[in-house]
Amino acid sequence: MRAARLVTTLVLTAHGSADPRSSANTRAIAGHLRRVAPELDVRVAFCEQNTPNLRDVLPGLSGDVVVAPFLLASAYHARIDIPGLIAESGARVHQADVLGEDERLLTVMRQRLTEAGASRFDAGLGVLVVAVGSSNPAANARTARLAGALARGTRWAGVEVGFATGPEPLPVAAQRLRDRGATHLAIAPWFLAHGRITDRVADYAATAGIVMAEPLGAHRLVAAAVLDRVEDALAARIAA
C-alpha cells in the first residue's frame, strides 16, 4: 500500500442507499483508512439517501482535500453526480478516480469465491460475475474485462460478466457458461456491499441453485485501492 502523505483530508464518497448495510460498509472502509493512514483526516459523505451529503461536508474543509468516489465504475455517479455536488458546494477540491478493475479487488473477489467453496482447479465451474450495470456503454465494457482477468490462472470452464440492472437477464449469461461446458455455476458479485440489488441476485441464485459469494466488503485491500486513487489524484495535481 502506498502512503498518501500530502493529503490533509480524504472524503470517501459513496452513492448512498436505503439499505443500511451499504453505508455501514462505507464507514467500515473509512475506519480501515484511519488505521492505516492516521495522518489523514478521513471523512465519509454520500451523494443521496444517507447523511452527510457531500455538498454539506465540503464547505467546512480547508487545505488539501481529495474526494475519493467509493465506486467501482466510472459511470453516472462518478462523472455527473459527484462533480455536480462539488460544484454546488463551491469548494476547491481534487476528485480521485473510481476504484475500477484494480487487481487487489480481483484478489478479494477470488477470496470470496474460495470462501463460498469454489476452487480454481474446478474444470466444471462457470463463474458469473454480476455487476450493477450502467447507461454508459464504455463503463459496461470496462467492467466486462473482468472476465478475462478473473479467469487467469484457473481451470474453470469460463467466466462471464452479467449486469443485474442491464437489458440482458442473468439467466442468459448463465446459459452462455453452460454452453461453454460448465456443469455448475458460482456467482461473484462485483459490488462493494450488500444491498437491495444483491438481495435480488441472491434470490435468483437460490432459485437457480447457484452458489453465490459475498460482495467485496470491508476488506483491507479495498482500503488500499482507495488510498492509491487518492495518491494518484494528488500526483496529478502536482504535475499540473
Side-chain angles (χ1 to χ4, degrees):
M1 183 185 301
R2 297 181 292 171
R5 300 177 185 279
L6 299 178
V7 180
T8 301
T9 305
L10 187 169
V11 185
L12 186 67
T13 305
H15 172 242
S17 170
D19 191 310
R21 293 172 295 178
S22 179
S23 58
N25 187 69
T26 303
R27 297 184 193 282
I29 287 292
H32 274 294
L33 293 169
R34 293 184 185 107
R35 287 190 292 274
V36 301
E39 72 277 12
L40 302 182
D41 179 9
V42 178
R43 309 290 184 95
V44 170
F46 301 92
C47 295
E48 58 182 56
Q49 299 199 63
N50 302 114
T51 57
N53 189 279
L54 180 61
R55 74 166 68 86
D56 300 322
V57 169
L58 293 179
L61 304 179
S62 60
D64 276 325
V65 179
V66 172
V67 173
F70 193 45
L71 302 167
L72 291 171
S74 182
Y76 184 87
H77 303 303
R79 295 181 294 105
I80 306 297
D81 275 354
I82 290 178
L85 292 170
I86 291 172
E88 285 181 40
S89 75
R92 295 175 59 86
V93 304
H94 320 296
Q95 181 175 333
D97 198 2
V98 297
L99 297 177
E101 296 71 47
D102 191 289
E103 180 59 35
R104 286 162 296 197
L105 304 189
L106 285 167
T107 297
V108 178
M109 179 179 279
R110 294 183 187 104
Q111 178 181 326
R112 299 303 185 217
L113 282 165
T114 299
E115 292 166 350
S119 167
R120 66 186 181 92
F121 301 109
D122 186 351
L125 179 64
V127 174
L128 178 56
V129 178
V130 179
V132 68
S134 169
S135 59
N136 179 5
N140 289 338
R142 183 174 170 182
T143 302
R145 293 201 295 267
L146 286 167
L150 187 63
R152 282 196 296 270
T154 76
R155 296 181 182 176
W156 296 336
V159 179
E160 292 279 345
V161 174
F163 296 101
T165 57
E168 180 183 84
L170 290 180
V172 175
Q175 186 58 47
R176 287 200 300 269
L177 287 168
R178 296 187 179 97
D179 292 342
R180 294 171 65 178
T183 58
H184 50 286
L185 307 181
I187 288 177
W190 186 240
F191 286 80
L192 290 165
H194 277 297
R196 294 182 175 181
I197 296 177
T198 58
D199 284 348
R200 292 203 301 269
V201 176
D203 288 343
Y204 160 69
T207 300
I210 299 174
V211 170
M212 179 170 164
E214 290 292 306
L216 300 176
H219 198 285
R220 61 179 179 81
L221 292 180
V222 177
V226 171
L227 280 182
D228 270 2
R229 298 301 175 273
V230 172
E231 185 178 80
D232 290 342
L234 189 63
R237 177 188 67 82
I238 294 171

